[in-house]
mmCIF file of all heavy atoms in Angstrom:
data_model
loop_
_atom_site.group_PDB
_atom_site.id
_atom_site.type_symbol
_atom_site.label_atom_id
_atom_site.label_comp_id
_atom_site.label_asym_id
_atom_site.label_seq_id
_atom_site.Cartn_x
_atom_site.Cartn_y
_atom_site.Cartn_z
ATOM 1 N N MET A 72 -122.540 110.505 125.432
ATOM 2 C CA MET A 72 -121.325 110.076 124.763
ATOM 3 C C MET A 72 -121.670 109.654 123.340
ATOM 4 O O MET A 72 -122.739 109.101 123.088
ATOM 5 C CB MET A 72 -120.692 108.917 125.545
ATOM 6 C CG MET A 72 -119.403 108.371 124.949
ATOM 7 S SD MET A 72 -119.661 106.852 124.030
ATOM 8 C CE MET A 72 -119.922 105.687 125.379
ATOM 9 N N LEU A 73 -120.773 109.935 122.414
ATOM 10 C CA LEU A 73 -120.878 109.444 121.047
ATOM 11 C C LEU A 73 -119.787 108.404 120.846
ATOM 12 O O LEU A 73 -118.656 108.590 121.308
ATOM 13 C CB LEU A 73 -120.717 110.589 120.045
ATOM 14 C CG LEU A 73 -121.804 111.661 120.065
ATOM 15 C CD1 LEU A 73 -121.409 112.835 119.171
ATOM 16 C CD2 LEU A 73 -123.136 111.094 119.631
ATOM 17 N N TYR A 74 -120.115 107.325 120.150
ATOM 18 C CA TYR A 74 -119.130 106.271 119.963
ATOM 19 C C TYR A 74 -119.128 105.802 118.512
ATOM 20 O O TYR A 74 -120.099 105.980 117.767
ATOM 21 C CB TYR A 74 -119.403 105.095 120.898
ATOM 22 C CG TYR A 74 -120.699 104.364 120.618
ATOM 23 C CD1 TYR A 74 -120.730 103.252 119.769
ATOM 24 C CD2 TYR A 74 -121.890 104.779 121.207
ATOM 25 C CE1 TYR A 74 -121.922 102.584 119.509
ATOM 26 C CE2 TYR A 74 -123.076 104.120 120.945
ATOM 27 C CZ TYR A 74 -123.089 103.027 120.095
ATOM 28 O OH TYR A 74 -124.266 102.376 119.834
ATOM 29 N N CYS A 75 -118.019 105.219 118.127
ATOM 30 C CA CYS A 75 -117.853 104.688 116.776
ATOM 31 C C CYS A 75 -117.987 103.169 116.822
ATOM 32 O O CYS A 75 -117.222 102.496 117.518
ATOM 33 C CB CYS A 75 -116.487 105.086 116.213
ATOM 34 S SG CYS A 75 -116.145 104.385 114.578
ATOM 35 N N GLU A 76 -118.967 102.638 116.100
ATOM 36 C CA GLU A 76 -119.169 101.187 116.086
ATOM 37 C C GLU A 76 -118.024 100.459 115.390
ATOM 38 O O GLU A 76 -117.752 99.300 115.681
ATOM 39 C CB GLU A 76 -120.489 100.858 115.390
ATOM 40 C CG GLU A 76 -121.731 101.264 116.173
ATOM 41 C CD GLU A 76 -123.006 100.865 115.469
ATOM 42 O OE1 GLU A 76 -123.033 100.945 114.215
ATOM 43 O OE2 GLU A 76 -123.964 100.469 116.156
ATOM 44 N N LYS A 77 -117.335 101.159 114.497
ATOM 45 C CA LYS A 77 -116.290 100.508 113.709
ATOM 46 C C LYS A 77 -114.988 100.354 114.488
ATOM 47 O O LYS A 77 -114.409 99.258 114.524
ATOM 48 C CB LYS A 77 -116.038 101.284 112.422
ATOM 49 C CG LYS A 77 -115.045 100.615 111.482
ATOM 50 C CD LYS A 77 -114.933 101.377 110.168
ATOM 51 C CE LYS A 77 -113.964 100.688 109.217
ATOM 52 N NZ LYS A 77 -113.859 101.409 107.913
ATOM 53 N N CYS A 78 -114.510 101.429 115.100
ATOM 54 C CA CYS A 78 -113.205 101.357 115.772
ATOM 55 C C CYS A 78 -113.281 101.484 117.289
ATOM 56 O O CYS A 78 -112.275 101.350 117.979
ATOM 57 C CB CYS A 78 -112.254 102.404 115.207
ATOM 58 S SG CYS A 78 -112.630 104.106 115.700
ATOM 59 N N GLY A 79 -114.480 101.783 117.831
ATOM 60 C CA GLY A 79 -114.644 101.819 119.276
ATOM 61 C C GLY A 79 -114.308 103.139 119.946
ATOM 62 O O GLY A 79 -114.354 103.237 121.176
ATOM 63 N N LEU A 80 -113.972 104.182 119.183
ATOM 64 C CA LEU A 80 -113.633 105.473 119.786
ATOM 65 C C LEU A 80 -114.844 106.055 120.507
ATOM 66 O O LEU A 80 -115.955 106.011 119.985
ATOM 67 C CB LEU A 80 -113.154 106.443 118.710
ATOM 68 C CG LEU A 80 -112.729 107.834 119.205
ATOM 69 C CD1 LEU A 80 -111.445 107.737 120.017
ATOM 70 C CD2 LEU A 80 -112.555 108.800 118.041
ATOM 71 N N MET A 81 -114.617 106.606 121.709
ATOM 72 C CA MET A 81 -115.684 107.256 122.476
ATOM 73 C C MET A 81 -115.371 108.743 122.602
ATOM 74 O O MET A 81 -114.239 109.129 122.879
ATOM 75 C CB MET A 81 -115.802 106.623 123.861
ATOM 76 C CG MET A 81 -116.219 105.165 123.835
ATOM 77 S SD MET A 81 -116.445 104.471 125.495
ATOM 78 C CE MET A 81 -114.747 104.492 126.100
ATOM 79 N N GLU A 82 -116.382 109.570 122.400
ATOM 80 C CA GLU A 82 -116.223 111.018 122.490
ATOM 81 C C GLU A 82 -117.201 111.574 123.509
ATOM 82 O O GLU A 82 -118.388 111.237 123.497
ATOM 83 C CB GLU A 82 -116.483 111.681 121.132
ATOM 84 C CG GLU A 82 -115.441 111.389 120.069
ATOM 85 C CD GLU A 82 -114.175 112.222 120.236
ATOM 86 O OE1 GLU A 82 -114.117 113.023 121.197
ATOM 87 O OE2 GLU A 82 -113.262 112.061 119.418
ATOM 88 N N PHE A 83 -116.685 112.455 124.397
ATOM 89 C CA PHE A 83 -117.508 113.110 125.397
ATOM 90 C C PHE A 83 -117.484 114.623 125.148
ATOM 91 O O PHE A 83 -116.560 115.133 124.509
ATOM 92 C CB PHE A 83 -116.988 112.797 126.802
ATOM 93 C CG PHE A 83 -117.106 111.343 127.162
ATOM 94 C CD1 PHE A 83 -116.100 110.430 126.822
ATOM 95 C CD2 PHE A 83 -118.226 110.873 127.820
ATOM 96 C CE1 PHE A 83 -116.206 109.091 127.144
ATOM 97 C CE2 PHE A 83 -118.347 109.526 128.147
ATOM 98 C CZ PHE A 83 -117.338 108.635 127.810
ATOM 99 N N PRO A 84 -118.474 115.365 125.654
ATOM 100 C CA PRO A 84 -118.507 116.816 125.415
ATOM 101 C C PRO A 84 -117.205 117.496 125.813
ATOM 102 O O PRO A 84 -116.599 117.176 126.832
ATOM 103 C CB PRO A 84 -119.676 117.293 126.283
ATOM 104 C CG PRO A 84 -120.597 116.114 126.308
ATOM 105 C CD PRO A 84 -119.688 114.910 126.361
ATOM 106 N N LYS A 85 -116.801 118.452 124.984
ATOM 107 C CA LYS A 85 -115.541 119.156 125.184
ATOM 108 C C LYS A 85 -115.710 120.287 126.188
ATOM 109 O O LYS A 85 -116.633 121.097 126.077
ATOM 110 C CB LYS A 85 -115.062 119.741 123.847
ATOM 111 C CG LYS A 85 -113.762 120.520 123.933
ATOM 112 C CD LYS A 85 -113.396 121.113 122.574
ATOM 113 C CE LYS A 85 -114.310 122.228 122.166
ATOM 114 N NZ LYS A 85 -113.890 122.929 120.944
ATOM 115 N N ILE A 86 -114.816 120.337 127.168
ATOM 116 C CA ILE A 86 -114.757 121.450 128.114
ATOM 117 C C ILE A 86 -113.309 121.911 128.202
ATOM 118 O O ILE A 86 -112.425 121.119 128.544
ATOM 119 C CB ILE A 86 -115.262 121.044 129.508
ATOM 120 C CG1 ILE A 86 -116.700 120.517 129.424
ATOM 121 C CG2 ILE A 86 -115.203 122.237 130.470
ATOM 122 C CD1 ILE A 86 -117.210 119.941 130.721
ATOM 123 N N CYS A 87 -113.044 123.172 127.889
ATOM 124 C CA CYS A 87 -111.677 123.697 127.870
ATOM 125 C C CYS A 87 -111.410 124.502 129.143
ATOM 126 O O CYS A 87 -112.119 125.478 129.418
ATOM 127 C CB CYS A 87 -111.475 124.596 126.653
ATOM 128 S SG CYS A 87 -111.812 123.797 125.077
ATOM 129 N N PRO A 88 -110.402 124.131 129.938
ATOM 130 C CA PRO A 88 -110.061 124.930 131.121
ATOM 131 C C PRO A 88 -109.340 126.215 130.731
ATOM 132 O O PRO A 88 -108.446 126.214 129.888
ATOM 133 C CB PRO A 88 -109.140 123.999 131.916
ATOM 134 C CG PRO A 88 -108.525 123.104 130.880
ATOM 135 C CD PRO A 88 -109.556 122.930 129.804
ATOM 136 N N ALA A 89 -109.760 127.314 131.343
ATOM 137 C CA ALA A 89 -109.156 128.618 131.043
ATOM 138 C C ALA A 89 -109.141 129.473 132.304
ATOM 139 O O ALA A 89 -109.903 129.236 133.248
ATOM 140 C CB ALA A 89 -109.914 129.321 129.923
ATOM 141 N N THR A 90 -108.281 130.472 132.307
ATOM 142 C CA THR A 90 -108.131 131.337 133.469
ATOM 143 C C THR A 90 -108.630 132.750 133.181
ATOM 144 O O THR A 90 -108.513 133.254 132.070
ATOM 145 C CB THR A 90 -106.653 131.437 133.885
ATOM 146 O OG1 THR A 90 -105.864 131.858 132.747
ATOM 147 C CG2 THR A 90 -106.136 130.093 134.367
ATOM 148 N N ILE A 91 -109.201 133.372 134.208
ATOM 149 C CA ILE A 91 -109.489 134.806 134.239
ATOM 150 C C ILE A 91 -108.561 135.386 135.305
ATOM 151 O O ILE A 91 -108.543 134.899 136.446
ATOM 152 C CB ILE A 91 -110.959 135.088 134.587
ATOM 153 C CG1 ILE A 91 -111.890 134.480 133.547
ATOM 154 C CG2 ILE A 91 -111.192 136.588 134.721
ATOM 155 C CD1 ILE A 91 -111.784 135.102 132.172
ATOM 156 N N ILE A 92 -107.792 136.398 134.953
ATOM 157 C CA ILE A 92 -106.685 136.824 135.814
ATOM 158 C C ILE A 92 -106.801 138.300 136.164
ATOM 159 O O ILE A 92 -106.737 139.174 135.289
ATOM 160 C CB ILE A 92 -105.330 136.577 135.117
ATOM 161 C CG1 ILE A 92 -105.257 135.136 134.591
ATOM 162 C CG2 ILE A 92 -104.184 136.864 136.079
ATOM 163 C CD1 ILE A 92 -104.181 134.918 133.553
ATOM 164 N N ALA A 93 -106.973 138.583 137.449
ATOM 165 C CA ALA A 93 -107.008 139.956 137.954
ATOM 166 C C ALA A 93 -105.650 140.274 138.568
ATOM 167 O O ALA A 93 -105.312 139.779 139.646
ATOM 168 C CB ALA A 93 -108.116 140.116 138.979
ATOM 169 N N VAL A 94 -104.863 141.095 137.888
ATOM 170 C CA VAL A 94 -103.532 141.467 138.365
ATOM 171 C C VAL A 94 -103.646 142.753 139.184
ATOM 172 O O VAL A 94 -104.087 143.789 138.678
ATOM 173 C CB VAL A 94 -102.554 141.675 137.198
ATOM 174 C CG1 VAL A 94 -101.160 142.012 137.727
ATOM 175 C CG2 VAL A 94 -102.507 140.428 136.314
ATOM 176 N N ARG A 95 -103.229 142.676 140.460
ATOM 177 C CA ARG A 95 -103.314 143.822 141.359
ATOM 178 C C ARG A 95 -101.926 144.414 141.620
ATOM 179 O O ARG A 95 -100.924 143.719 141.589
ATOM 180 C CB ARG A 95 -103.909 143.401 142.709
ATOM 181 C CG ARG A 95 -105.255 142.705 142.621
ATOM 182 C CD ARG A 95 -105.676 142.142 143.963
ATOM 183 N NE ARG A 95 -104.772 141.088 144.429
ATOM 184 C CZ ARG A 95 -105.046 140.239 145.405
ATOM 185 N NH1 ARG A 95 -106.203 140.326 146.051
ATOM 186 N NH2 ARG A 95 -104.186 139.323 145.776
ATOM 187 N N ASP A 96 -101.925 145.704 141.887
ATOM 188 C CA ASP A 96 -100.715 146.382 142.360
ATOM 189 C C ASP A 96 -101.159 147.392 143.403
ATOM 190 O O ASP A 96 -101.460 148.539 143.091
ATOM 191 C CB ASP A 96 -99.986 147.078 141.213
ATOM 192 C CG ASP A 96 -98.725 147.804 141.684
ATOM 193 O OD1 ASP A 96 -98.094 147.318 142.647
ATOM 194 O OD2 ASP A 96 -98.392 148.846 141.103
ATOM 195 N N GLY A 97 -101.276 146.925 144.649
ATOM 196 C CA GLY A 97 -101.807 147.781 145.699
ATOM 197 C C GLY A 97 -103.255 148.145 145.425
ATOM 198 O O GLY A 97 -104.131 147.283 145.387
ATOM 199 N N ASN A 98 -103.497 149.426 145.190
ATOM 200 C CA ASN A 98 -104.844 149.938 144.945
ATOM 201 C C ASN A 98 -105.199 149.957 143.460
ATOM 202 O O ASN A 98 -106.239 150.487 143.073
ATOM 203 C CB ASN A 98 -104.980 151.360 145.518
ATOM 204 C CG ASN A 98 -106.427 151.753 145.760
ATOM 205 O OD1 ASN A 98 -107.175 151.005 146.392
ATOM 206 N ND2 ASN A 98 -106.827 152.913 145.250
ATOM 207 N N ARG A 99 -104.332 149.358 142.640
ATOM 208 C CA ARG A 99 -104.560 149.382 141.194
ATOM 209 C C ARG A 99 -104.921 147.991 140.678
ATOM 210 O O ARG A 99 -104.507 146.978 141.233
ATOM 211 C CB ARG A 99 -103.319 149.883 140.456
ATOM 212 C CG ARG A 99 -102.899 151.300 140.813
ATOM 213 C CD ARG A 99 -101.825 151.808 139.853
ATOM 214 N NE ARG A 99 -100.632 150.965 139.868
ATOM 215 C CZ ARG A 99 -99.631 151.073 138.974
ATOM 216 N NH1 ARG A 99 -99.695 151.989 138.018
ATOM 217 N NH2 ARG A 99 -98.569 150.288 139.067
#
């Protein structure tokens, strides 16, 4: 974690949730 001594803000590593999408249509 990184923090700011002046205002107290705490920062943690960024992880962005995302989707991988397989769209099916029968055999396609």
Side-chain angles (χ1 to χ4, degrees):
M72 180 259 286
L73 295 172
Y74 65 92
C75 176
E76 290 182 323
K77 185 175 181 179
C78 73
L80 181 69
M81 296 183 293
E82 291 281 0
F83 295 87
K85 179 182 70 173
I86 302 173
C87 303
T90 54
I91 299 294
I92 310 163
V94 182
R95 305 172 296 195
D96 180 32
N98 201 50
R99 299 191 301 169

